[in-house]
Amino acid sequence: MESSRCGGAFRGISRQIHTSGLTQKGNMKETRKPRADDKFCGISRLTLFLLALSLAFIGKTMTGAYLNSMYTQIEKQFNIPASLVGIINGSFEIGNLLLIAFVSYFGGKFHRPKVIALGCTVFAFGCLLTSFPHFLFGRYHIESSVSPQENSSVVPLCHVNQSLFSLPTEEPSTECEKEPGSLLWIFVMVGNLIRGMGETPIVPLGISYLEDFAKTENSPFYQGCLHTATVIGPFLGFLLASFCAKLFVDLETVDAGELTITPTDVRWVGAWWLGILICGLVNFLAGLPFWFLPRSLVKEGEPDESETCKKEGVLLEENEQKETKQTMYEIAKDFFPFLKALLRNPVYMLFIVISVLQFSAFIGMISFMPKYLEQQFGKSASDAIFLIGVYNIPIICLGYFFGGLFMKKFKINTYQAAHIACWVTFLDYLLYFIAFWTICDTSPVAGLTVSYEGIDQLSYAENTLLADCNRDCNCTLKVWDPVCANNGITYVSSCLAGCKASTGTGKSVVFENCTCVAASEFPFQNASAVLGQCDKGKNCDKMLQYFLILQLVGSFIFSLAAMPGFMVLIRSLKPEEKSFGVGVHELAARVFAGIPSPIFFGALIDTTCMKWGTKSCGGEGACRIYDIVKYRWIYLGLPALLRGMSFIPGLITLFILKKQLTSERNVSSNAPVELQDKGQ
């Protein structure tokens, strides 16, 4: 019965759309703008728009979280440095930059739901293009110093007085840059750029549409629902990324039993392309409902039964007809006056400065957090992504929801909202510094973090990988193929460990007669080693729990301040400036935070690399191990500096808002006196 009513309603709407032109010409009095409260299948039109927009928010944030989690996999797949990964990440913001200001301004003049629908479709195409390189790349080459023949039987691995015919060349080949697949990361970058262009209309046009047709008291709650959607999306993205990271990148061609590495190995590459295709499908489906939503509505809660309302409806309809006939010049003539008004709005401009500093810190941290958990605490990419999602996303969702509910219940004004946002954020900032004490001991790696005798040292030079115990083995210094010895020390390769023999095959291979293990501070009579790095130890697991709990508490506190802060932005703008103002705010965040932040974070993180991997052609690949102490100070210290600077414009904003509030109170208190004087 419900489906038949819905079908009848849909056919009625279709007939109304088909005959709208004749109705307007024949009888203008019967023309009525759709109301926000009108029901469609038992749901109001504005609620339908809110649900569709929430799904679009979930789709776009799900994709963003998924890709941010998978950049380390892309880095290893294409053997590129973290700084180049930062450029790929920033290409999404560049795509946004190309269109955000114009879409925010011009999009509001046209059919906003249809513009959003088009954006979702373009977004989905960008996802498809991003995954395309996987199907062109061929089979992923796992960097290894052991040839398949050596891995099949007991043969010498320490090649004393033998040639290195089976090992990668020490010097990069001139043909390295021409190697098939070496530039396929460009597809990922272009796909990201197109994805950024597609996302452009969703936020400014969606929020302005809600603001235009929602009750004032309902607006914070609706915004809270959207913010909740922006948290559900990343949660789903992190779960999807965790699942895909466990699957080997060539899952369709490689049998898991053939692999000699595990997901905890830094050379492991997950099936990053699979989740991108799923995200593209979700975003395509999210855009479909917007094609069928009306261009505008009668504001929520406003009656339209009186003759006055009917006349207003006719006038509004005529105005819309005039708008559709406007030339681009007539639409654009107010662009610069609008921009000038925004630039002269001190609260708005200060809020942009705060957002840029806060977003720079947040984007840099979230982009490289999976890598940080991998390197600092020894977790696999899959486990790191899962822990980030579970410990951060649900609690942020609660913070957004309760922040919006608090704003609605107590009817907080702009000055009070700014106070809440400032001091709650400052509390989270103070708690943030505890993270500097959640440290993990540096993994002992012979020749890099400890000497071959087991004494602590730190070296970025390759020559320290050689010692008396392996100097005659003719080992390559370029390859990263770690083995864990029974003395608890990791060696860069079985050759550099001085291993003379191996038994077993696949993951169960054991290297024996390792001279460097026998020569260490803790010698073993049967000096042997197995594939992979040594585990970090139980202390790291405990520190990881402290770090994650601190993240949970900090995320909740920070998210409580998000809604009051956003309402300061919205309420600092006039009604006609909201769509354009939100768009310019997004533009500034993209240009000054989204693009440069991952690039300079990645470049600084590259400076902490102690051992670079090697491409099959001999060129330098992705980083395999970092100086975790230096990495920690950069990763945690840079956001602390950026966030600390953001409180300066925050305090200035409070001062300006207090001054504005005082002046408004003075005007309102003087108004009755002036009326009495006029009456006398």
Side-chain angles (χ1 to χ4, degrees):
M1 182 65 73
E2 181 66 21
S3 60
S4 64
R5 285 200 298 267
C6 291
F10 183 81
R11 287 191 295 272
I13 291 171
S14 300
R15 286 195 297 270
Q16 181 183 350
I17 294 171
H18 180 71
T19 59
S20 60
L22 295 174
T23 305
Q24 289 169 6
K25 291 179 181 180
N27 189 2
M28 287 295 292
K29 291 183 180 180
E30 294 181 11
T31 302
R32 185 174 76 90
K33 179 187 275 191
R35 285 168 45 84
D37 298 328
D38 285 348
K39 302 290 184 181
F40 178 74
C41 297
I43 305 174
S44 70
R45 293 177 186 271
L46 192 63
T47 304
L48 282 173
F49 181 85
L50 177 63
L51 291 173
L53 188 62
S54 297
L55 182 59
F57 270 52
I58 288 173
K60 79 181 187 68
T61 54
M62 173 184 173
T63 309
Y66 178 85
L67 266 175
N68 275 321
S69 303
M70 283 298 189
Y71 280 131
T72 55
Q73 309 300 306
I74 294 171
E75 174 185 346
K76 290 181 281 189
Q77 168 90 72
F78 300 108
N79 270 307
I80 54 178
S83 55
L84 189 52
V85 171
I87 294 174
I88 294 174
N89 193 348
S91 65
F92 172 80
E93 315 298 347
I94 294 173
N96 238 274
L97 166 64
L98 294 175
L99 295 178
I100 186 69
F102 296 100
V103 166
S104 300
Y105 182 76
F106 293 116
K109 308 291 183 181
F110 299 106
H111 197 301
R112 283 178 285 186
K114 287 187 177 180
V115 175
I116 295 173
L118 180 62
C120 290
T121 305
V122 173
F123 191 100
F125 175 73
C127 291
L128 180 64
L129 188 61
T130 299
S131 66
F132 194 57
H134 167 73
F135 303 100
L136 301 176
F137 189 79
R139 186 165 174 170
Y140 170 61
H141 171 75
I142 300 173
E143 180 184 0
S144 176
S145 62
V146 181
S147 69
Q149 291 78 16
E150 290 172 332
N151 195 27
S152 60
S153 60
V154 181
V155 292
L157 300 177
C158 180
H159 301 271
V160 180
N161 298 325
Q162 294 183 24
S163 65
L164 302 181
F165 64 90
S166 64
L167 301 176
T169 57
E170 293 290 325
E171 296 299 325
S173 166
T174 55
E175 298 295 315
C176 205
E177 295 304 320
K178 299 178 182 178
E179 183 184 27
S182 61
L183 297 177
L184 284 178
W185 56 267
I186 294 175
F187 280 92
V188 180
M189 186 176 71
V190 174
N192 244 5
L193 185 129
I194 293 174
R195 195 169 60 86
M197 295 170 69
E199 195 221 34
T200 304
I202 298 174
V203 175
L205 301 189
I207 290 175
S208 65
Y209 192 93
L210 275 180
E211 283 288 316
D212 286 346
F213 308 122
K215 284 183 182 178
T216 305
E217 59 268 28
N218 287 343
S219 180
F221 180 72
Y222 291 158
Q223 298 297 338
C225 291
L226 290 179
H227 277 75
T228 302
T230 62
V231 177
I232 294 174
F235 182 69
L236 296 176
F238 282 125
L239 290 181
L240 180 62
S242 178
F243 171 74
C244 292
K246 285 183 180 178
L247 305 174
F248 190 64
V249 62
D250 296 317
L251 62 92
E252 73 274 33
T253 58
V254 176
D255 183 11
E258 299 177 12
L259 299 173
T260 58
I261 60 174
T262 63
T264 56
D265 196 298
V266 295
R267 294 166 295 173
W268 177 274
V269 176
W272 59 272
W273 55 273
L274 180 61
I276 293 292
L277 292 176
I278 295 172
C279 290
L281 178 62
V282 170
N283 282 279
F284 177 76
L285 295 176
L288 295 180
F290 291 101
W291 294 107
F292 307 102
L293 289 166
R295 174 175 178 166
S296 60
L297 301 166
V298 174
K299 191 162 185 174
E300 192 177 35
E302 287 189 358
D304 64 343
E305 301 300 326
S306 65
E307 288 297 322
T308 304
C309 290
K310 288 182 180 179
K311 290 178 182 178
E312 288 177 355
V314 172
L315 289 173
L316 287 169
E317 200 71 36
E318 289 175 350
N319 288 335
E320 287 181 7
Q321 291 176 27
K322 290 178 181 178
E323 280 184 2
T324 58
K325 295 178 181 178
Q326 285 181 327
T327 64
M328 290 299 291
Y329 172 77
E330 290 172 329
I331 294 174
K333 67 180 180 181
D334 293 328
F335 179 85
F336 289 105
F338 268 70
L339 182 62
K340 187 177 180 182
L342 292 179
L343 294 175
R344 289 184 173 181
N345 186 333
V347 174
Y348 176 79
M349 294 305 297
L350 286 167
F351 191 88
I352 284 180
V353 175
I354 296 169
S355 298
V356 166
L357 293 170
Q358 292 278 357
F359 287 176
S360 294
F362 174 76
I363 292 170
M365 285 196 72
I366 200 65
S367 296
F368 295 99
M369 185 174 283
K371 182 191 286 288
Y372 180 75
L373 296 187
E374 289 177 54
Q375 293 290 331
Q376 183 73 34
F377 302 106
K379 290 296 174 183
S380 68
S382 176
D383 290 342
I385 294 165
F386 179 78
L387 290 170
I388 293 169
V390 169
Y391 275 84
N392 287 274
I393 305 305
I395 202 69
I396 290 175
C397 180
L398 287 176
Y400 280 156
F401 182 78
F402 285 117
L405 201 61
F406 181 82
M407 290 286 291
K408 179 183 178 182
K409 185 175 180 61
F410 295 99
K411 298 181 180 179
I412 304 298
N413 63 35
T414 307
Y415 177 64
Q416 292 169 331
H419 256 293
I420 293 170
C422 181
W423 299 117
V424 171
T425 305
F426 185 70
L427 175 61
D428 170 55
Y429 181 66
L430 295 178
L431 290 174
Y432 173 82
F433 285 94
I434 302 175
F436 284 92
W437 280 269
T438 55
I439 60 176
C440 197
D441 294 335
T442 303
S443 298
V445 180
L448 294 177
T449 61
V450 296
S451 67
Y452 277 85
E453 292 75 29
I455 302 171
D456 289 343
Q457 70 170 31
L458 200 66
S459 173
Y460 288 77
E462 281 188 344
N463 59 359
T464 56
L465 294 174
L466 293 175
D468 293 337
C469 60
N470 61 22
R471 199 173 298 277
D472 296 329
C473 292
N474 293 324
C475 302
T476 176
L477 304 182
K478 298 291 184 182
V479 172
W480 174 262
D481 189 17
V483 294
C484 177
N486 50 10
N487 61 358
I489 296 177
T490 298
Y491 294 84
V492 171
S493 69
S494 55
C495 182
L496 288 171
C499 301
K500 301 292 195 301
S502 67
T503 59
T505 58
K507 297 176 184 177
S508 60
V509 66
V510 177
F511 302 96
E512 298 174 338
N513 301 328
C514 303
T515 55
C516 292
V517 178
S520 66
E521 185 182 5
F522 308 102
F524 283 77
Q525 187 174 4
N526 181 22
S528 62
V530 295
L531 286 171
Q533 283 184 261
C534 298
D535 293 335
K536 286 273 190 176
K538 293 183 179 179
N539 182 58
C540 270
D541 290 335
K542 186 188 297 183
M543 286 297 174
L544 175 60
Q545 289 299 322
Y546 294 153
F547 177 80
L548 292 172
I549 291 170
L550 182 63
Q551 287 288 310
L552 184 144
V553 175
S555 296
F556 179 70
I557 295 173
F558 186 81
S559 60
L560 284 174
M563 186 51 58
F566 187 75
M567 294 313 295
V568 172
L569 169 67
I570 291 295
R571 292 176 181 176
S572 67
L573 299 169
K574 297 176 182 177
E576 64 273 14
E577 296 174 347
K578 285 179 182 176
S579 177
F580 187 50
V582 172
V584 172
H585 173 261
E586 288 287 319
L587 171 67
R590 307 286 185 188
V591 174
F592 301 111
I595 296 174
S597 178
I599 296 174
F600 65 71
F601 263 84
L604 289 173
I605 287 171
D606 277 342
T607 64
T608 70
C609 184
M610 302 181 69
K611 179 71 177 75
W612 293 93
T614 306
K615 298 179 182 179
S616 57
C617 59
E620 190 176 87
C623 185
R624 300 307 189 193
I625 186 171
Y626 294 85
D627 175 359
I628 63 170
V629 176
K630 190 176 177 182
Y631 190 144
R632 181 173 64 250
W633 280 102
I634 289 175
Y635 179 77
L636 298 177
L638 191 55
L641 176 63
L642 292 168
R643 292 183 63 185
M645 292 169 59
S646 71
F647 290 104
I648 298 173
L651 293 174
I652 298 172
T653 302
L654 288 177
F655 175 77
I656 293 173
L657 288 173
K658 184 178 181 181
K659 194 173 179 181
Q660 289 178 355
L661 184 63
T662 304
S663 109
E664 287 173 4
R665 285 176 177 172
N666 290 337
V667 170
S668 61
S669 61
N670 290 335
V673 177
E674 292 176 1
L675 289 173
Q676 288 178 7
D677 292 341
K678 288 181 180 179
Q680 291 175 358

